[in-house]
Amino acid sequence: MANIGIFFGSDTGKTRKIAKLIQQKLGDVADAPVNINRTSLETFLSYPVLVLGTPTLGDGQLPGLAAGCENESWGEFIDQLADANLSGKIVALFGLGDQQGYPDNFASALRPLYDAVVGSGAQVVGEWPGDGYDFSFSAALEAGKFIGLVLDQDNQFDLTEERVASWLEQIKPQIL
């Protein structure tokens, strides 16, 4: 087992592709990405470093049954984190959003994920500049920076590779 566990929620598969790209760039220090609906809390907690990804659905929701997804996802798993102890764990977050289609909730699903892991004692690393995006509001934005890497596969897919590489270089000293 590697030191880094990569877990994602997904509805369309875009977040899964980014999770795979992150694992590919990290190499052997990270295990293959796992859909959050295909793991247990025990396995999730077995990693000292977690890279967690989510798309934002509708009005800022995590993927899951309540958001209209066909399968369980973060919406269901997040409740388990309330009683989990993530003290000593390092967490890096990445989120997908559509800044043109949903400018009022761009990448906002990162917020409940962030709040859940911080509330359980994790240290979150990897904030990302809010520059270079055009949106009205994001719950994931604090003082001009996102609480994790934010990608827009609908409108800025051509920037994804560069943003992922830059973000990983930024967080490597903290996660390796």
Side-chain angles (χ1 to χ4, degrees):
M1 182 171 94
N3 259 2
I4 301 172
I6 303 173
F7 297 92
F8 64 92
S10 190
D11 188 40
T12 64
K14 290 178 186 176
T15 310
R16 178 179 174 262
K17 288 179 183 175
I18 301 303
K20 289 175 93 174
L21 175 64
I22 289 169
Q23 192 277 327
Q24 177 186 31
K25 290 189 175 297
L26 286 173
D28 294 342
V29 298
D31 278 338
V34 176
N35 192 319
I36 197 63
N37 67 10
R38 292 197 168 106
T39 195
S40 66
L41 183 61
E42 181 182 352
T43 299
F44 182 87
L45 294 174
S46 69
Y47 291 94
V49 177
L50 298 162
V51 176
L52 310 178
T54 187
T56 296
L57 303 180
D59 62 353
Q61 293 175 285
L62 287 168
L65 299 176
C69 297
E70 291 183 24
N71 297 304
E72 292 185 354
S73 190
W74 282 119
E76 291 71 28
F77 191 85
I78 200 167
D79 291 338
Q80 297 179 57
L81 295 179
D83 297 324
N85 181 2
L86 274 64
S87 296
K89 297 199 183 295
I90 297 171
V91 175
L93 302 172
F94 69 95
L96 278 63
D98 177 349
Q99 61 194 313
Q100 290 179 10
Y102 299 93
D104 297 332
N105 285 296
F106 179 55
S108 287
L110 276 176
R111 173 55 63 186
L113 198 51
Y114 174 90
D115 289 347
V117 297
V118 168
S120 293
Q123 174 192 354
V124 176
V125 300
E127 65 184 14
W128 186 252
D131 303 337
Y133 302 89
D134 185 20
F135 60 95
S136 304
F137 174 79
S138 175
L141 195 67
E142 289 184 354
K145 294 186 177 183
F146 289 108
I147 53 181
L149 173 64
V150 170
L151 303 168
D152 184 341
Q153 292 298 92
D154 296 303
N155 306 291
Q156 295 180 328
F157 59 89
D158 55 322
L159 299 175
T160 296
E161 185 94 22
E162 177 185 331
R163 285 176 171 165
V164 168
S166 177
W167 182 67
L168 288 174
E169 285 306 309
Q170 173 192 322
I171 66 172
K172 276 183 181 178
Q174 296 151 314
I175 67 171
L176 297 180

